[in-house]
Amino acid sequence: MSSIDQARKTIKALNSTYKIVHVTELATLGKLSTLREKAEAAVSYYETILKSLRWVRKTMHPGNNNVKEEKKITAIAITSERGLCGAYNSEVFAEIDQLIATLGDQVTINWVVVGEQGHRYLTRLGQNITAYLQFSLENIDLETTTAVTADFVDQINSEEIDALYVIFTKYFNAVHSEAMCEKIYPEIPEESDNLPIEVDYVLDFETEEEQVEQLLLENYLCGLLYSMFRYSVASEYCMRRIAMKQAKDNIQKQLEEAIFNARKRTLQQKTGELLDIISGAQTIRKEEE
C-alpha cells in the first residue's frame, strides 16, 4: 500500500471515530438535564422529611449530646460500570483512600459498592466488600432505592452499623462535578442558626414516637441515597461529555494533520512524476542531438 493510500485510510478512520465521539457527546449532554431534575426532586423530598425528623428527635431526645463510639463502619462507594468518563472514577478512588486513611487501621470498613470500577479498585486494595450492588444507576427507581435503604435500616436496628458513609460525586452543572464523602448516619444535618425557626412541619401522630422516628429516618435515608445515586450518574455523564469533547478536539487535530500530510504526499508524488517526465524529455532531446 502506497503512503497516499495509507494516509487516505487514516483520514477515513479518523472521520468515522470523530462522528462516533460526537454522537456520544451529544447523547450524554441530552440526558444531563433530566438526571439533574430527578436528583433535585429527591433533594426536595428528603429535606422535607428532614425537618420533621429534626423535630421528633428534639422532642424525644432533648439535650442528648452523648456520642457513641463508632466501631462498625459501613461505607457506600458509588462508581461507574464503564470507563471513558475522564477523572470521574479516579476522584472517587481518592475519596476512598482518604476515608481509609482518616479512620485508620484499627477500624474495619464494610464496603457496599455500586459500579464495576469501584469493585475492582477495592478488591485490589484488599478491602472488605460485603455487598456489590449490580444495578443500573441510570435506570434506578425509588423501589430499588427503598429496598437498599431497608437493608441498611435493618442493620442499624440490629446494631450492626454504628456509622454510615457515602462516597459519591455531586453534580453542579454541565462542566463541574465534585467527588465527596458524607456521613449520613447517625448524624443528620442541623438547622442553620441564620434561618428562622419554622413550625409548620410539626407532626400530629398516634403511633409510638420510636416508630415515627424510625419511619422518618428510613424515608430520609431513602430520599438522600436516591439523590446521591442520581447526582452520581449525572456526574458520570458530565465527565464523559467532557472526555468526549477532549477526544473530539484531539481527533480534529489529528485529522487536520492527516489531511495536511496526505496533501503533502500527493504533491510530492505529482512533483516527482513531473520531474521524471522533464528528466525523460531532456534525455530524449540529448539523444536526438
Side-chain angles (χ1 to χ4, degrees), residues 69-93:
E69 185 178 3
E70 298 174 355
K71 295 182 178 180
K72 304 170 185 177
I73 307 296
T74 294
I76 309 169
I78 305 174
T79 61
S80 69
E81 284 290 335
R82 20 185 204 122
L84 297 177
C85 48
Y88 173 80
N89 289 304
S90 60
E91 292 178 359
V92 175
F93 297 161

Side-chain angles (χ1 to χ4, degrees), residues 16-141:
S16 299
T17 306
Y18 183 90
K19 292 178 182 178
I20 294 172
V21 171
H22 184 58
V23 169
T24 304
E25 180 191 9
L26 293 178
T28 55
L29 185 61
K31 293 180 179 180
L32 285 176
S33 60
T34 301
L35 292 170
R36 180 175 184 175
E37 287 174 1
K38 291 182 178 180
E40 291 177 346
V43 171
S44 298
Y45 170 79
Y46 80 71
E47 285 183 345
T48 302
I49 299 294
L50 180 59
K51 292 178 181 179
S52 298
L53 180 59
R54 288 193 190 112
W55 182 82
V56 170
R57 282 195 168 185
K58 288 179 180 179
T59 303
M60 293 178 58
H61 315 290
N64 184 9
N65 297 321
N66 294 332
V67 179
K68 182 180 178 180
E69 185 178 3
E70 298 174 355
K71 295 182 178 180
K72 304 170 185 177
I73 307 296
T74 294
I76 309 169
I78 305 174
T79 61
S80 69
E81 284 290 335
R82 20 185 204 122
L84 297 177
C85 48
Y88 173 80
N89 289 304
S90 60
E91 292 178 359
V92 175
F93 297 161
E95 291 295 326
I96 290 175
D97 294 340
Q98 181 63 37
L99 179 61
I100 294 173
T102 300
L103 295 178
D105 298 333
Q106 303 300 321
V107 177
T108 299
I109 306 174
N110 296 319
W111 289 96
V112 177
V113 189
V114 178
E116 174 63 23
Q117 302 299 319
H119 185 266
R120 289 180 181 177
Y121 184 74
L122 288 167
T123 300
R124 287 199 301 268
L125 292 180
Q127 292 293 304
N128 181 36
I129 302 175
T130 57
Y132 176 26
L133 305 180
Q134 295 178 289
F135 50 69
S136 170
L137 283 180
E138 183 179 349
N139 300 319
I140 194 170
D141 51 21

Side-chain angles (χ1 to χ4, degrees), residues 28-29 31-33 35-37 40 169-178 231-242:
T28 55
L29 185 61
K31 293 180 179 180
L32 285 176
S33 60
L35 292 170
R36 180 175 184 175
E37 287 174 1
E40 291 177 346
T169 309
K170 179 70 175 291
Y171 174 84
F172 293 98
N173 53 54
V175 294
H176 179 215
S177 60
E178 181 181 346
Y231 273 134
S232 291
V233 71
S235 300
E236 179 183 345
Y237 274 97
C238 172
M239 297 297 289
R240 183 168 287 115
R241 187 202 69 81
I242 294 173

Side-chain angles (χ1 to χ4, degrees), residues 55-56 59-60 202-210 212 216:
W55 182 82
V56 170
T59 303
M60 293 178 58
V202 174
L203 300 178
D204 184 13
F205 53 87
E206 297 179 355
T207 55
E208 295 293 332
E209 291 182 341
E210 291 79 4
V212 173
L216 290 172

